[in-house]
Amino acid sequence: MLELLVAVISAAFTLIIILDPLLSVSMFINLTRDLQKPEMIRQAFVATGVAGVLMLTFLIFNNLLFDLLGIELESFKVAGGIILFILGLQIVLGLDIGGSSAGHKNLESTDRIGKKSMAGVIIGTPVMCGPGTITTVMILGAQDGILLTLVAVILALFCIWLILIFSAQIKKLLGETVLVILSKIFGLLLTAIAVHTIWTGILGLIALSV
């Protein structure tokens, strides 16, 4: 039982790192700045709901996708790990690979023209649930099983929802500088997870070829 609990918490912690709630805090505050508290809470529900639907979709159908494409989990680990490593470098070094910063500027521009009702969708995807999150969910689902990963997804999303609800208080308490530093630490943890994922994938491929 204890081993199962540790596995769930470990998977949930990994997902929280991938979802990068600290990045979402500042953006969520900006997008919901002029909204009343009830609408802000509703947008937090929308954000976690959108991210959750996407994550669960890829979790449930991951084995089907692997079978249709004819690829092994080990190959996906290597490819997914490379993506996670690049995303981690973006966060730690402030790099703009693939125009992500431009994308965020476009989202902020959307806010300025008055589409406040889209805040939850924008935060849900692509800010929280992007390629890295989808990759991680598929790897965890194939590795740890759908049920365990499902519990981890629900736990992670609940934590993210709480963070969004209290985003203004968190930013006020920590300040912009501390949020940036913590986000860099999250990015460093993400690169470490990526290296481990790539390494286990390579070892798995070697074992399959022997």
Side-chain angles (χ1 to χ4, degrees), residues 94-133:
L95 301 176
D96 181 18
I97 303 173
S100 59
S101 295
H104 289 166
K105 290 177 182 177
N106 289 337
L107 296 181
E108 292 172 1
S109 176
T110 299
D111 168 59
R112 285 195 292 270
I113 62 176
K115 293 184 179 178
K116 301 286 186 179
S117 61
M118 293 296 291
V121 177
I122 291 170
I123 297 297
T125 183
V127 176
M128 287 200 305
C129 189
T133 303

Coordinates of all heavy atoms in Angstrom, one line a residue, residues 94-133:
G94 N 15.9 30.4 -20.5 CA 15.0 31.5 -21.1 C 15.1 31.5 -22.6 O 15.0 32.5 -23.2
L95 N 15.3 30.3 -23.2 CA 15.4 30.2 -24.6 C 14.1 30.2 -25.3 O 13.1 29.9 -24.6 CB 16.1 28.9 -25.0 CG 17.6 28.7 -24.5 CD1 18.1 27.3 -24.9 CD2 18.5 29.8 -25.0
D96 N 14.0 30.6 -26.5 CA 12.7 30.6 -27.3 C 12.9 29.7 -28.4 O 13.3 30.1 -29.5 CB 12.4 32.1 -27.8 CG 11.1 32.1 -28.5 OD1 10.3 31.2 -28.4 OD2 10.9 33.1 -29.3
I97 N 12.5 28.4 -28.2 CA 12.6 27.4 -29.2 C 11.2 27.1 -29.7 O 10.4 26.7 -29.0 CB 13.3 26.1 -28.7 CG1 14.7 26.4 -28.1 CG2 13.4 25.0 -29.7 CD1 15.3 25.3 -27.4
G98 N 11.0 27.3 -31.0 CA 9.7 27.0 -31.5 C 8.7 28.1 -31.4 O 7.5 28.0 -31.6
G99 N 9.2 29.3 -31.0 CA 8.4 30.5 -31.0 C 7.4 30.5 -29.8 O 6.4 31.1 -29.9
S100 N 7.8 29.9 -28.7 CA 6.9 29.8 -27.5 C 6.6 31.2 -26.9 O 5.5 31.5 -26.5 CB 7.4 28.9 -26.5 OG 8.7 29.3 -26.0
S101 N 7.7 32.0 -26.9 CA 7.5 33.3 -26.3 C 6.5 34.2 -27.1 O 5.7 34.9 -26.7 CB 8.8 34.0 -26.1 OG 9.6 33.4 -25.2
A102 N 6.7 34.0 -28.5 CA 5.8 34.7 -29.4 C 4.4 34.3 -29.2 O 3.5 35.1 -29.2 CB 6.3 34.5 -30.8
G103 N 4.2 33.0 -28.9 CA 2.9 32.5 -28.7 C 2.3 33.1 -27.5 O 1.1 33.4 -27.5
H104 N 3.1 33.2 -26.4 CA 2.5 33.8 -25.2 C 2.2 35.3 -25.4 O 1.2 35.8 -24.8 CB 3.6 33.7 -24.1 CG 3.7 32.2 -23.6 ND1 4.8 31.8 -22.8 CD2 3.0 31.1 -23.8 CE1 4.7 30.5 -22.5 NE2 3.6 30.1 -23.2
K105 N 3.0 36.0 -26.2 CA 2.7 37.4 -26.5 C 1.4 37.5 -27.3 O 0.6 38.4 -27.1 CB 3.8 38.0 -27.3 CG 5.1 38.2 -26.5 CD 6.2 38.7 -27.4 CE 7.5 38.9 -26.5 NZ 8.6 39.4 -27.4
N106 N 1.1 36.5 -28.2 CA -0.1 36.5 -28.9 C -1.3 36.3 -28.0 O -2.4 36.9 -28.2 CB -0.1 35.4 -30.0 CG 0.9 35.8 -31.1 OD1 1.2 36.9 -31.4 ND2 1.3 34.8 -31.8
L107 N -1.1 35.4 -27.0 CA -2.2 35.1 -26.0 C -2.5 36.4 -25.2 O -3.6 36.7 -24.9 CB -1.8 34.0 -25.1 CG -1.6 32.6 -25.7 CD1 -1.2 31.6 -24.7 CD2 -2.8 32.2 -26.5
E108 N -1.4 37.1 -24.8 CA -1.6 38.4 -24.1 C -2.3 39.4 -25.0 O -3.1 40.2 -24.5 CB -0.3 38.9 -23.6 CG 0.3 38.0 -22.5 CD 1.7 38.4 -22.1 OE1 2.2 39.4 -22.7 OE2 2.3 37.7 -21.3
S109 N -2.0 39.4 -26.3 CA -2.6 40.3 -27.2 C -4.1 40.0 -27.3 O -5.0 40.9 -27.4 CB -2.0 40.2 -28.6 OG -2.7 41.0 -29.5
T110 N -4.4 38.7 -27.3 CA -5.8 38.3 -27.3 C -6.6 38.8 -26.1 O -7.7 39.3 -26.2 CB -5.9 36.7 -27.3 OG1 -5.3 36.2 -28.4 CG2 -7.4 36.3 -27.3
D111 N -5.9 38.8 -24.9 CA -6.5 39.4 -23.7 C -6.8 40.9 -23.9 O -7.8 41.3 -23.5 CB -5.5 39.2 -22.5 CG -5.9 40.0 -21.3 OD1 -7.0 39.7 -20.8 OD2 -5.1 40.8 -20.9
R112 N -5.9 41.6 -24.5 CA -6.0 43.0 -24.6 C -7.2 43.4 -25.5 O -7.8 44.5 -25.3 CB -4.7 43.7 -25.2 CG -3.6 43.7 -24.1 CD -2.5 44.7 -24.6 NE -1.8 44.1 -25.7 CZ -0.7 43.4 -25.7 NH1 -0.3 43.0 -24.5 NH2 -0.1 42.9 -26.7
I113 N -7.6 42.5 -26.4 CA -8.7 42.9 -27.2 C -10.0 42.4 -26.6 O -11.1 42.5 -27.2 CB -8.6 42.3 -28.7 CG1 -8.6 40.8 -28.6 CG2 -7.4 42.9 -29.4 CD1 -8.5 40.2 -30.0
G114 N -10.0 42.0 -25.3 CA -11.2 41.8 -24.6 C -11.7 40.4 -24.5 O -12.8 40.2 -23.9
K115 N -11.0 39.4 -24.9 CA -11.5 38.0 -24.8 C -11.2 37.4 -23.5 O -10.5 36.4 -23.4 CB -11.0 37.2 -26.0 CG -11.5 37.7 -27.3 CD -11.0 36.7 -28.4 CE -11.6 37.2 -29.8 NZ -11.1 36.4 -30.9
K116 N -11.7 38.0 -22.4 CA -11.4 37.5 -21.1 C -12.0 36.1 -20.8 O -11.5 35.3 -20.0 CB -12.0 38.4 -20.0 CG -11.5 39.8 -20.1 CD -10.1 39.9 -19.6 CE -9.6 41.4 -19.5 NZ -8.3 41.5 -19.0
S117 N -13.1 35.8 -21.5 CA -13.8 34.5 -21.3 C -12.9 33.3 -21.8 O -13.2 32.2 -21.5 CB -15.1 34.4 -22.0 OG -14.9 34.6 -23.4
M118 N -11.8 33.6 -22.6 CA -11.0 32.5 -23.1 C -9.8 32.2 -22.1 O -9.0 31.4 -22.4 CB -10.4 33.0 -24.4 CG -11.5 33.1 -25.5 SD -12.2 31.5 -25.9 CE -10.8 30.6 -26.6
A119 N -9.8 32.9 -21.0 CA -8.6 32.8 -20.1 C -8.4 31.3 -19.7 O -7.3 30.8 -19.7 CB -8.8 33.6 -18.8
G120 N -9.5 30.6 -19.3 CA -9.3 29.3 -18.8 C -8.8 28.3 -19.9 O -8.0 27.5 -19.7
V121 N -9.3 28.5 -21.2 CA -8.9 27.7 -22.3 C -7.5 27.9 -22.6 O -6.7 27.0 -22.9 CB -9.8 28.0 -23.5 CG1 -9.3 27.1 -24.7 CG2 -11.3 27.6 -23.2
I122 N -7.1 29.2 -22.6 CA -5.7 29.6 -22.9 C -4.7 29.0 -21.9 O -3.7 28.4 -22.3 CB -5.5 31.1 -23.0 CG1 -6.3 31.7 -24.2 CG2 -4.1 31.5 -23.0 CD1 -6.4 33.2 -24.2
I123 N -5.1 29.0 -20.6 CA -4.2 28.5 -19.6 C -4.2 27.0 -19.7 O -3.1 26.3 -19.5 CB -4.6 28.9 -18.2 CG1 -4.5 30.5 -18.0 CG2 -3.8 28.2 -17.1 CD1 -3.1 31.0 -18.2
G124 N -5.4 26.4 -19.9 CA -5.5 24.9 -20.0 C -4.6 24.3 -21.1 O -3.9 23.3 -20.9
T125 N -4.6 25.0 -22.3 CA -3.8 24.6 -23.4 C -3.6 25.8 -24.3 O -4.6 26.5 -24.6 CB -4.4 23.4 -24.2 OG1 -3.5 23.0 -25.2 CG2 -5.7 23.7 -24.8
P126 N -2.4 26.1 -24.7 CA -1.2 25.3 -24.6 C -0.3 25.5 -23.4 O 0.8 24.9 -23.3 CB -0.4 25.7 -25.9 CG -0.8 27.1 -26.0 CD -2.2 27.3 -25.5
V127 N -0.7 26.5 -22.5 CA 0.2 26.8 -21.4 C 0.5 25.7 -20.5 O 1.7 25.3 -20.2 CB -0.3 28.0 -20.6 CG1 0.6 28.4 -19.4 CG2 -0.4 29.3 -21.5
M128 N -0.6 25.0 -20.0 CA -0.4 23.9 -19.1 C -0.2 22.6 -19.8 O 0.7 21.8 -19.6 CB -1.5 23.8 -18.1 CG -1.5 24.8 -17.0 SD -2.5 24.4 -15.5 CE -4.1 24.1 -16.3
C129 N -1.2 22.3 -20.7 CA -1.1 21.0 -21.4 C -0.6 21.1 -22.8 O -1.4 21.3 -23.7 CB -2.5 20.3 -21.4 SG -2.5 18.6 -21.9
G130 N 0.7 21.0 -22.9 CA 1.3 21.1 -24.2 C 2.0 19.8 -24.5 O 1.6 18.7 -23.9
P131 N 2.9 19.7 -25.5 CA 3.5 18.5 -25.9 C 4.2 17.7 -24.8 O 4.1 16.5 -24.7 CB 4.5 18.9 -27.0 CG 4.0 20.2 -27.5 CD 3.3 20.9 -26.3
G132 N 4.9 18.5 -23.9 CA 5.6 17.9 -22.8 C 4.6 17.2 -21.8 O 4.9 16.0 -21.4
T133 N 3.5 17.8 -21.5 CA 2.5 17.2 -20.6 C 1.9 15.9 -21.2 O 1.8 14.9 -20.6 CB 1.4 18.2 -20.3 OG1 2.0 19.4 -19.7 CG2 0.4 17.6 -19.3

